[in-house]
């Protein structure tokens, strides 16, 4: 039986490395039929849209896609094709293996790491605003559902692959609420997988440990932004982005892609290295349960590289087509017919239980624009009292003002000591500020849960 897979050749070197992939799949008799779909520059030129609906339909219909790199035009308001595909199809897990590749220049040996990055949330919602002409803000959203799902995906994958340890990477010492939630969810899920070791590390220490002793880690699971950075760092441990594969996994759909870009400097010159796309294809075949074919492609590729047959980027002299010929010449036939014995890891995002927690509005942080010194905001409005002001997170009122640069953007915390408040009380604060000619630019409501504050304190509070 043949499986249909959507193939997006992409831009720049994309078509050259995709052609190498097609030749190698044909030589290995991989039971995959490609359905070509377009995305990237060609799609923008034809349809004014980097990812046409037909392409998304093809991916959804087939459930599996492999993608070459696409060029994101600078300016012109075009969204990145990759981000559009990930978000539209809710591909919540980005899976990046970092394994030592024979012949790829690297300072390290015997690396076999698997990085699992949450792919949707965090600062990648791209929810950004200028609050004042001088102060910009990006909203970091971490959800319980997203964090539980990525943690479960990591542990299920560990179990499936026989890996021993999953390490959560975070900055919960500073972002106690957002990364704190990520870590809390990780620990909750870890408790269900007693056969797999679970621990955590702060992201800065993680980076230092990775470059000094990478073999100490087995699997990493990270929120989106740290995952983006650390997965590239891990690619650097094993020879760089030119040999880094990746998979974007959703509930019913997965898209595999090389991590590198469209390399316009060498496009059309028969110089591109197809290794990263081929390794992504190996990851794809494993996802599809076609392990024997995955081994055939991977073994031939590794043997070719180990023999010193390489493209120019890895210090060799072979063209894309010569390198592809060499891989095909090193290919052994599939030893026995494939039987698909297992299913890819599938995780359903949990629906949070109705906990009936005592969620109570107790005040608001009102951000105001005020040039020079502390803003003369009213100390009391109705039942709400001004209890704290901070400048870029550092407390400047009450008490002595620290010796910091004061930016024209202040957080004024109004809370009630007499019990719950309403949003009408908060609106009264905004009106009172306007009456005094003080411009407010942002409001965050302050809630408690079972009397515990669900908001952070200021530095120095
Ligand atoms: P790039 O990865 O395309 O190129 C960086 C350097 O690495 C270049 O010197 C290039 O020749 C070399 N290189 C990359 N892949 C190679 C390969 N397979 N074989 C041999 N050499 C290779 O990064 P750059 O120049 O920053 O981006 C170019 C375009 O690619 C941009 O439009 C960018 O938006 C897009 N891009 C797309 C990605 C994707 O679709 N997954 C990821 C990263 C960038």
């Amino acid at each position: 039986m043949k499986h249909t897979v959507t193939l997006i050749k992409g831009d720049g070197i994309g078509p050259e490395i995709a052609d190498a992939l097609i030749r190698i799949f044909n030589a290995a008799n991989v039971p995959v039929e490609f359905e070509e779909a377009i995305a990237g520059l060609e799609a923008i030129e034809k349809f004014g849209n980097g990812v046409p609906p037909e392409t998304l339909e093809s991916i959804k219909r087939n459930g599996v896609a492999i993608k070459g790199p696409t060029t994101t035009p600078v300016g012109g308001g075009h969204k990145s094709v990759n981000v559009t595909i990930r978000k539209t199809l809710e591909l919540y897990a980005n899976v990046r293996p970092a394994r030592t590749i024979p012949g790829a220049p690297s300072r390290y040996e015997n690396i076999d790491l698997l990085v699992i990055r949450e792919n949707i949330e965090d600062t990648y919602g791209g929810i950004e605003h200028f609050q004042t002409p001088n102060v910009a803000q990006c909203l970091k959203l971490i959800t319980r559902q997203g964090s539980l799902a990525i943690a479960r995906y990591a542990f299920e994958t560990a179990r499936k692959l026989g890996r021993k340890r999953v390490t959560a990477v975070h900055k919960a010492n500073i972002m106690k609420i957002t990364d704190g939630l990520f870590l809390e969810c990780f620990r909750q899920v870890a408790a269900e997988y007693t056969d797999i070791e679970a621990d955590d590390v702060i992201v800065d220490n993680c980076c230092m440990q990775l470059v000094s002793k990478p073999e100490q880690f087995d699997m990493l699971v990270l929120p989106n932004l740290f995952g983006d950075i650390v997965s590239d760092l891990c690619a650097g441990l094993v020879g760089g982005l030119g040999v880094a594969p990746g998979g974007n996994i959703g509930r019913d759909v997965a898209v595999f892609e090389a991590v590198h870009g469209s390399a316009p400097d060498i496009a059309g010159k028969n110089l591109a290295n197809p290794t990263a796309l081929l390794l992504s294809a190996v990851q794809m075949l494993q996802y599809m349960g076609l392990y024997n074919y995955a081994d055939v492609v991977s073994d031939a590729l590794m043997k070719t590289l180990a023999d010193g047959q390489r493209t120019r980027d890895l210090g060799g002299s072979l063209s894309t087509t010569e390198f592809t010929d060499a891989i095909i010449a090193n290919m052994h036939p599939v030893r026995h017919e494939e039987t698909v014995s297992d299913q890819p890891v599938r995780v359903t995002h949990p629906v949070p239980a109705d906990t009936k927690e005592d969620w109570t509005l107790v005040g608001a942080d009102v951000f105001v624009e005020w040039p020079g010194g502390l803003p003369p905001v009213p100390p009391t409005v109705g039942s709400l009292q001004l209890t704290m002001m901070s400048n870029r997170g550092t407390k400047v009122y009450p008490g002595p003002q620290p010796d910091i640069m004061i930016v024209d953007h202040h957080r004024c915390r109004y809370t009630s000591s007499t019990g719950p408040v309403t949003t009408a009380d908060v609106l009264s604060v905004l009106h009172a500020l306007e009456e005094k000619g003080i411009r407010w630019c942002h409001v965050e409501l302050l809630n408690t849960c079972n009397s515990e504050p669900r908001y952070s304190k200021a530095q120095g509070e």
Side-chain angles (χ1 to χ4, degrees), residues 102-153:
S106 163
R107 290 165 194 269
Y108 305 91
E109 285 171 7
N110 303 323
I111 308 287
D112 183 11
L113 268 165
L114 189 61
V115 182
I116 310 263
R117 158 188 173 194
E118 199 290 320
N119 219 11
I120 307 281
E121 305 189 342
D122 201 344
T123 46
Y124 283 62
I127 308 171
E128 296 196 286
H129 301 89
F130 270 99
Q131 286 191 18
T132 78
N134 300 317
V135 178
Q137 169 201 268
C138 177
L139 205 56
K140 173 171 163 116
L141 284 178
I142 299 285
T143 71
R144 196 177 295 280
Q145 292 92 321
S147 305
L148 288 172
I150 198 68
R152 189 165 301 283
Y153 183 85

Short mmCIF file of all heavy atoms in Angstrom, two decimals, residues 102-153:
data_model
loop_
_atom_site.label_atom_id
_atom_site.label_comp_id
_atom_site.label_asym_id
_atom_site.label_seq_id
_atom_site.Cartn_x
_atom_site.Cartn_y
_atom_site.Cartn_z
N PRO A 102 28.38 11.34 11.26
CA PRO A 102 29.76 11.08 10.83
C PRO A 102 30.14 12.04 9.71
O PRO A 102 29.36 12.24 8.79
CB PRO A 102 29.72 9.63 10.32
CG PRO A 102 28.27 9.30 10.12
CD PRO A 102 27.49 10.20 11.02
N GLY A 103 31.27 12.64 9.85
CA GLY A 103 31.74 13.50 8.76
C GLY A 103 31.27 14.93 8.87
O GLY A 103 31.76 15.79 8.14
N ALA A 104 30.33 15.23 9.77
CA ALA A 104 29.91 16.63 9.94
C ALA A 104 30.84 17.26 10.98
O ALA A 104 30.97 16.73 12.08
CB ALA A 104 28.47 16.70 10.39
N PRO A 105 31.51 18.35 10.61
CA PRO A 105 32.48 18.92 11.55
C PRO A 105 31.82 19.33 12.86
O PRO A 105 30.80 20.01 12.85
CB PRO A 105 33.01 20.17 10.81
CG PRO A 105 32.42 20.13 9.44
CD PRO A 105 31.31 19.14 9.42
N SER A 106 32.35 18.86 13.97
CA SER A 106 31.78 19.19 15.29
C SER A 106 32.85 18.98 16.36
O SER A 106 33.74 18.15 16.20
CB SER A 106 30.59 18.28 15.57
OG SER A 106 30.30 18.30 16.94
N ARG A 107 32.73 19.75 17.44
CA ARG A 107 33.68 19.59 18.55
C ARG A 107 33.32 18.40 19.42
O ARG A 107 34.06 18.05 20.33
CB ARG A 107 33.62 20.81 19.46
CG ARG A 107 34.17 22.06 18.86
CD ARG A 107 33.70 23.23 19.72
NE ARG A 107 33.92 24.47 19.02
CZ ARG A 107 35.03 25.19 19.13
NH1 ARG A 107 35.98 24.81 19.93
NH2 ARG A 107 35.16 26.30 18.45
N TYR A 108 32.13 17.86 19.26
CA TYR A 108 31.64 16.85 20.20
C TYR A 108 31.43 15.51 19.50
O TYR A 108 31.21 15.46 18.29
CB TYR A 108 30.30 17.31 20.80
CG TYR A 108 30.38 18.66 21.45
CD1 TYR A 108 30.08 19.81 20.72
CD2 TYR A 108 30.77 18.79 22.77
CE1 TYR A 108 30.17 21.06 21.31
CE2 TYR A 108 30.86 20.04 23.36
CZ TYR A 108 30.56 21.17 22.63
OH TYR A 108 30.64 22.40 23.21
N GLU A 109 31.45 14.46 20.30
CA GLU A 109 31.17 13.13 19.75
C GLU A 109 30.07 12.48 20.56
O GLU A 109 29.81 12.86 21.70
CB GLU A 109 32.43 12.25 19.85
CG GLU A 109 33.49 12.63 18.83
CD GLU A 109 34.80 11.92 19.08
OE1 GLU A 109 34.86 11.05 19.97
OE2 GLU A 109 35.77 12.28 18.39
N ASN A 110 29.43 11.49 19.94
CA ASN A 110 28.42 10.68 20.64
C ASN A 110 27.29 11.50 21.25
O ASN A 110 26.86 11.24 22.38
CB ASN A 110 29.07 9.83 21.73
CG ASN A 110 30.14 8.93 21.15
OD1 ASN A 110 29.97 8.43 20.03
ND2 ASN A 110 31.23 8.78 21.86
N ILE A 111 26.83 12.50 20.53
CA ILE A 111 25.67 13.26 21.01
C ILE A 111 24.41 12.58 20.48
O ILE A 111 24.33 12.23 19.30
CB ILE A 111 25.69 14.71 20.46
CG1 ILE A 111 27.02 15.40 20.73
CG2 ILE A 111 24.52 15.53 21.00
CD1 ILE A 111 27.26 15.79 22.12
N ASP A 112 23.44 12.40 21.35
CA ASP A 112 22.16 11.85 20.92
C ASP A 112 21.07 12.48 21.78
O ASP A 112 20.62 11.92 22.76
CB ASP A 112 22.16 10.32 21.06
CG ASP A 112 20.85 9.72 20.56
OD1 ASP A 112 20.06 10.44 19.92
OD2 ASP A 112 20.62 8.52 20.81
N LEU A 113 20.71 13.69 21.39
CA LEU A 113 19.75 14.48 22.17
C LEU A 113 18.44 14.61 21.41
O LEU A 113 18.45 14.66 20.18
CB LEU A 113 20.29 15.90 22.29
CG LEU A 113 21.15 16.27 23.47
CD1 LEU A 113 21.84 17.59 23.17
CD2 LEU A 113 20.27 16.43 24.69
N LEU A 114 17.36 14.71 22.14
CA LEU A 114 16.09 14.99 21.47
C LEU A 114 15.47 16.22 22.14
O LEU A 114 15.26 16.23 23.36
CB LEU A 114 15.14 13.78 21.61
CG LEU A 114 13.87 13.86 20.78
CD1 LEU A 114 14.18 13.93 19.28
CD2 LEU A 114 12.98 12.64 21.04
N VAL A 115 15.22 17.24 21.34
CA VAL A 115 14.68 18.49 21.88
C VAL A 115 13.21 18.60 21.48
O VAL A 115 12.87 18.51 20.30
CB VAL A 115 15.46 19.71 21.34
CG1 VAL A 115 14.92 21.00 21.94
CG2 VAL A 115 16.94 19.56 21.63
N ILE A 116 12.35 18.79 22.47
CA ILE A 116 10.91 18.94 22.21
C ILE A 116 10.52 20.36 22.62
O ILE A 116 10.59 20.72 23.79
CB ILE A 116 10.08 17.94 23.05
CG1 ILE A 116 10.64 16.52 22.90
CG2 ILE A 116 8.59 18.05 22.73
CD1 ILE A 116 10.00 15.63 21.94
N ARG A 117 10.11 21.12 21.62
CA ARG A 117 9.78 22.53 21.87
C ARG A 117 8.28 22.74 21.72
O ARG A 117 7.69 22.28 20.73
CB ARG A 117 10.54 23.37 20.84
CG ARG A 117 10.00 24.73 20.57
CD ARG A 117 10.74 25.35 19.39
NE ARG A 117 10.13 26.60 19.00
CZ ARG A 117 10.39 27.22 17.85
NH1 ARG A 117 11.25 26.72 17.00
NH2 ARG A 117 9.80 28.35 17.56
N GLU A 118 7.68 23.43 22.68
CA GLU A 118 6.28 23.82 22.53
C GLU A 118 6.24 24.83 21.37
O GLU A 118 7.05 25.74 21.32
CB GLU A 118 5.77 24.43 23.84
CG GLU A 118 4.26 24.45 23.98
CD GLU A 118 3.58 25.44 23.05
OE1 GLU A 118 4.13 26.55 22.86
OE2 GLU A 118 2.52 25.11 22.50
N ASN A 119 5.31 24.66 20.45
CA ASN A 119 5.44 25.31 19.15
C ASN A 119 4.42 26.43 18.88
O ASN A 119 4.42 27.00 17.80
CB ASN A 119 5.25 24.21 18.10
CG ASN A 119 6.16 24.34 16.91
OD1 ASN A 119 7.10 25.12 16.92
ND2 ASN A 119 5.87 23.57 15.88
N ILE A 120 3.52 26.67 19.82
CA ILE A 120 2.42 27.60 19.53
C ILE A 120 2.43 28.83 20.44
O ILE A 120 2.14 29.94 20.01
CB ILE A 120 1.04 26.90 19.74
CG1 ILE A 120 0.96 25.59 18.95
CG2 ILE A 120 -0.13 27.84 19.44
CD1 ILE A 120 0.65 25.71 17.50
N GLU A 121 2.77 28.61 21.72
CA GLU A 121 2.44 29.62 22.73
C GLU A 121 3.62 30.55 23.03
O GLU A 121 4.39 30.88 22.16
CB GLU A 121 1.99 28.90 24.02
CG GLU A 121 0.85 27.94 23.76
CD GLU A 121 0.24 27.38 25.02
OE1 GLU A 121 0.88 27.44 26.09
OE2 GLU A 121 -0.89 26.88 24.93
N ASP A 122 3.68 31.00 24.28
CA ASP A 122 4.79 31.82 24.75
C ASP A 122 4.73 33.18 24.04
O ASP A 122 3.64 33.65 23.69
CB ASP A 122 6.08 31.05 24.44
CG ASP A 122 7.28 31.49 25.26
OD1 ASP A 122 7.22 32.56 25.86
OD2 ASP A 122 8.27 30.75 25.31
N THR A 123 5.84 33.78 23.79
CA THR A 123 5.84 35.09 23.13
C THR A 123 5.53 34.97 21.63
O THR A 123 5.43 35.99 20.94
CB THR A 123 7.21 35.77 23.30
OG1 THR A 123 8.21 34.80 22.99
CG2 THR A 123 7.42 36.25 24.71
N TYR A 124 5.41 33.73 21.12
CA TYR A 124 5.21 33.53 19.69
C TYR A 124 3.77 33.78 19.24
O TYR A 124 3.46 33.63 18.05
CB TYR A 124 5.67 32.13 19.26
CG TYR A 124 7.17 32.10 19.17
CD1 TYR A 124 7.93 32.34 20.31
CD2 TYR A 124 7.82 31.87 17.98
CE1 TYR A 124 9.30 32.35 20.25
CE2 TYR A 124 9.19 31.87 17.92
CZ TYR A 124 9.93 32.11 19.05
OH TYR A 124 11.29 32.12 19.00
N GLY A 125 2.89 34.13 20.20
CA GLY A 125 1.58 34.64 19.79
C GLY A 125 1.77 35.94 19.03
O GLY A 125 0.88 36.40 18.32
N GLY A 126 2.93 36.55 19.20
CA GLY A 126 3.22 37.82 18.51
C GLY A 126 2.26 38.91 18.95
O GLY A 126 1.93 39.80 18.18
N ILE A 127 1.83 38.84 20.22
CA ILE A 127 0.88 39.85 20.72
C ILE A 127 1.72 40.99 21.32
O ILE A 127 2.18 40.90 22.46
CB ILE A 127 -0.07 39.24 21.77
CG1 ILE A 127 -0.71 37.98 21.19
CG2 ILE A 127 -1.14 40.25 22.20
CD1 ILE A 127 -1.51 37.17 22.20
N GLU A 128 1.93 41.99 20.53
CA GLU A 128 2.85 43.07 20.93
C GLU A 128 2.19 44.43 20.77
O GLU A 128 1.39 44.63 19.85
CB GLU A 128 4.11 43.02 20.06
CG GLU A 128 4.92 41.77 20.23
CD GLU A 128 6.32 41.93 19.66
OE1 GLU A 128 6.43 41.93 18.43
OE2 GLU A 128 7.26 42.12 20.44
N HIS A 129 2.53 45.32 21.67
CA HIS A 129 1.97 46.68 21.62
C HIS A 129 3.01 47.68 22.10
O HIS A 129 3.80 47.36 22.99
CB HIS A 129 0.78 46.82 22.57
CG HIS A 129 -0.34 45.88 22.29
ND1 HIS A 129 -0.42 44.63 22.84
CD2 HIS A 129 -1.43 46.02 21.51
CE1 HIS A 129 -1.51 44.04 22.41
NE2 HIS A 129 -2.15 44.86 21.61
N PHE A 130 2.94 48.86 21.54
CA PHE A 130 3.59 49.99 22.20
C PHE A 130 2.60 50.51 23.23
O PHE A 130 1.46 50.82 22.90
CB PHE A 130 3.91 51.10 21.19
CG PHE A 130 5.27 50.96 20.58
CD1 PHE A 130 5.44 50.40 19.32
CD2 PHE A 130 6.39 51.39 21.27
CE1 PHE A 130 6.70 50.27 18.77
CE2 PHE A 130 7.66 51.26 20.73
CZ PHE A 130 7.82 50.69 19.47
N GLN A 131 3.04 50.61 24.49
CA GLN A 131 2.14 51.19 25.50
C GLN A 131 2.28 52.71 25.54
O GLN A 131 1.34 53.42 25.84
CB GLN A 131 2.44 50.60 26.87
CG GLN A 131 1.94 49.18 26.98
CD GLN A 131 1.99 48.68 28.40
OE1 GLN A 131 2.09 49.46 29.35
NE2 GLN A 131 1.92 47.38 28.54
N THR A 132 3.49 53.17 25.32
CA THR A 132 3.75 54.60 25.17
C THR A 132 4.69 54.71 23.97
O THR A 132 5.17 53.67 23.48
CB THR A 132 4.46 55.19 26.42
OG1 THR A 132 5.84 54.83 26.36
CG2 THR A 132 3.85 54.72 27.72
N PRO A 133 4.98 55.91 23.48
CA PRO A 133 5.90 56.00 22.34
C PRO A 133 7.27 55.38 22.63
O PRO A 133 8.01 55.05 21.72
CB PRO A 133 6.01 57.51 22.09
CG PRO A 133 4.75 58.07 22.65
CD PRO A 133 4.39 57.22 23.83
N ASN A 134 7.60 55.22 23.92
CA ASN A 134 8.94 54.73 24.28
C ASN A 134 8.95 53.33 24.87
O ASN A 134 10.02 52.81 25.18
CB ASN A 134 9.58 55.68 25.30
CG ASN A 134 9.72 57.07 24.76
OD1 ASN A 134 10.12 57.24 23.61
ND2 ASN A 134 9.35 58.06 25.54
N VAL A 135 7.78 52.77 25.11
CA VAL A 135 7.75 51.50 25.85
C VAL A 135 6.92 50.48 25.08
O VAL A 135 5.74 50.68 24.82
CB VAL A 135 7.16 51.70 27.27
CG1 VAL A 135 7.10 50.38 28.01
CG2 VAL A 135 8.01 52.70 28.05
N ALA A 136 7.57 49.36 24.72
CA ALA A 136 6.90 48.29 23.97
C ALA A 136 6.73 47.06 24.84
O ALA A 136 7.53 46.82 25.76
CB ALA A 136 7.72 47.95 22.73
N GLN A 137 5.72 46.30 24.54
CA GLN A 137 5.41 45.13 25.35
C GLN A 137 5.09 43.93 24.47
O GLN A 137 4.47 44.05 23.42
CB GLN A 137 4.17 45.44 26.20
CG GLN A 137 3.60 44.23 26.88
CD GLN A 137 2.15 44.43 27.27
OE1 GLN A 137 1.87 44.86 28.37
NE2 GLN A 137 1.24 44.16 26.36
N CYS A 138 5.54 42.74 24.89
CA CYS A 138 5.18 41.48 24.21
C CYS A 138 4.54 40.57 25.24
O CYS A 138 5.09 40.39 26.33
CB CYS A 138 6.44 40.83 23.64
SG CYS A 138 6.11 39.25 22.87
N LEU A 139 3.40 40.03 24.91
CA LEU A 139 2.68 39.21 25.88
C LEU A 139 3.16 37.77 25.81
O LEU A 139 3.15 37.16 24.74
CB LEU A 139 1.19 39.28 25.54
CG LEU A 139 0.19 39.03 26.65
CD1 LEU A 139 0.41 39.98 27.82
CD2 LEU A 139 -1.22 39.21 26.10
N LYS A 140 3.60 37.26 26.95
CA LYS A 140 4.04 35.85 27.01
C LYS A 140 2.88 35.05 27.57
O LYS A 140 2.56 35.16 28.74
CB LYS A 140 5.28 35.75 27.91
CG LYS A 140 5.73 34.32 28.17
CD LYS A 140 7.06 34.28 28.88
CE LYS A 140 7.32 32.93 29.52
NZ LYS A 140 8.47 32.21 28.94
N LEU A 141 2.24 34.25 26.73
CA LEU A 141 1.10 33.46 27.17
C LEU A 141 1.49 31.99 27.31
O LEU A 141 1.92 31.37 26.34
CB LEU A 141 -0.04 33.55 26.15
CG LEU A 141 -0.85 34.84 26.14
CD1 LEU A 141 -1.91 34.78 25.04
CD2 LEU A 141 -1.51 35.10 27.48
N ILE A 142 1.39 31.49 28.50
CA ILE A 142 1.62 30.06 28.75
C ILE A 142 0.30 29.50 29.26
O ILE A 142 -0.27 30.06 30.20
CB ILE A 142 2.72 29.86 29.82
CG1 ILE A 142 4.05 30.47 29.38
CG2 ILE A 142 2.87 28.39 30.19
CD1 ILE A 142 4.83 29.71 28.33
N THR A 143 -0.18 28.44 28.66
CA THR A 143 -1.46 27.89 29.13
C THR A 143 -1.26 26.54 29.81
O THR A 143 -0.31 25.81 29.51
CB THR A 143 -2.46 27.70 27.96
OG1 THR A 143 -2.02 26.62 27.13
CG2 THR A 143 -2.61 28.97 27.13
N ARG A 144 -2.19 26.23 30.69
CA ARG A 144 -2.15 24.93 31.37
C ARG A 144 -2.34 23.82 30.34
O ARG A 144 -1.62 22.83 30.34
CB ARG A 144 -3.26 24.89 32.43
CG ARG A 144 -3.10 23.80 33.46
CD ARG A 144 -4.19 23.86 34.51
NE ARG A 144 -4.17 25.03 35.35
CZ ARG A 144 -3.36 25.22 36.40
NH1 ARG A 144 -2.51 24.27 36.73
NH2 ARG A 144 -3.40 26.32 37.11
N GLN A 145 -3.29 24.04 29.41
CA GLN A 145 -3.57 23.02 28.40
C GLN A 145 -2.33 22.75 27.54
O GLN A 145 -1.95 21.60 27.30
CB GLN A 145 -4.70 23.46 27.46
CG GLN A 145 -6.05 23.54 28.11
CD GLN A 145 -6.34 24.93 28.66
OE1 GLN A 145 -5.44 25.59 29.21
NE2 GLN A 145 -7.56 25.38 28.55
N GLY A 146 -1.71 23.84 27.05
CA GLY A 146 -0.54 23.69 26.17
C GLY A 146 0.63 23.05 26.90
O GLY A 146 1.35 22.23 26.33
N SER A 147 0.82 23.43 28.16
CA SER A 147 1.97 22.92 28.92
C SER A 147 1.77 21.44 29.28
O SER A 147 2.72 20.65 29.21
CB SER A 147 2.17 23.73 30.20
OG SER A 147 2.30 25.10 29.87
N LEU A 148 0.54 21.08 29.65
CA LEU A 148 0.27 19.67 29.96
C LEU A 148 0.46 18.82 28.71
O LEU A 148 1.03 17.73 28.76
CB LEU A 148 -1.15 19.49 30.50
CG LEU A 148 -1.41 20.02 31.92
CD1 LEU A 148 -2.91 19.95 32.25
CD2 LEU A 148 -0.62 19.22 32.96
N ALA A 149 -0.01 19.35 27.57
CA ALA A 149 0.07 18.57 26.33
C ALA A 149 1.52 18.35 25.90
O ALA A 149 1.91 17.24 25.53
CB ALA A 149 -0.71 19.27 25.22
N ILE A 150 2.36 19.39 25.97
CA ILE A 150 3.74 19.22 25.50
C ILE A 150 4.52 18.32 26.46
O ILE A 150 5.35 17.50 26.04
CB ILE A 150 4.45 20.59 25.28
CG1 ILE A 150 5.68 20.42 24.39
CG2 ILE A 150 4.83 21.28 26.56
CD1 ILE A 150 5.39 20.05 22.97
N ALA A 151 4.21 18.42 27.75
CA ALA A 151 4.88 17.53 28.71
C ALA A 151 4.47 16.09 28.44
O ALA A 151 5.32 15.19 28.38
CB ALA A 151 4.51 17.93 30.14
N ARG A 152 3.19 15.87 28.22
CA ARG A 152 2.74 14.49 27.95
C ARG A 152 3.36 13.98 26.64
O ARG A 152 3.77 12.83 26.55
CB ARG A 152 1.20 14.43 27.90
CG ARG A 152 0.69 13.01 27.83
CD ARG A 152 -0.80 12.91 28.15
NE ARG A 152 -1.18 13.40 29.45
CZ ARG A 152 -0.99 12.75 30.60
NH1 ARG A 152 -0.41 11.57 30.59
NH2 ARG A 152 -1.36 13.28 31.74
N TYR A 153 3.42 14.86 25.64
CA TYR A 153 4.03 14.45 24.37
C TYR A 153 5.48 14.00 24.62
O TYR A 153 5.93 12.98 24.08
CB TYR A 153 4.00 15.60 23.34
CG TYR A 153 4.55 15.15 22.02
CD1 TYR A 153 3.74 14.52 21.09
CD2 TYR A 153 5.90 15.27 21.74
CE1 TYR A 153 4.25 14.04 19.90
CE2 TYR A 153 6.43 14.79 20.57
CZ TYR A 153 5.61 14.18 19.64
OH TYR A 153 6.14 13.69 18.48
#
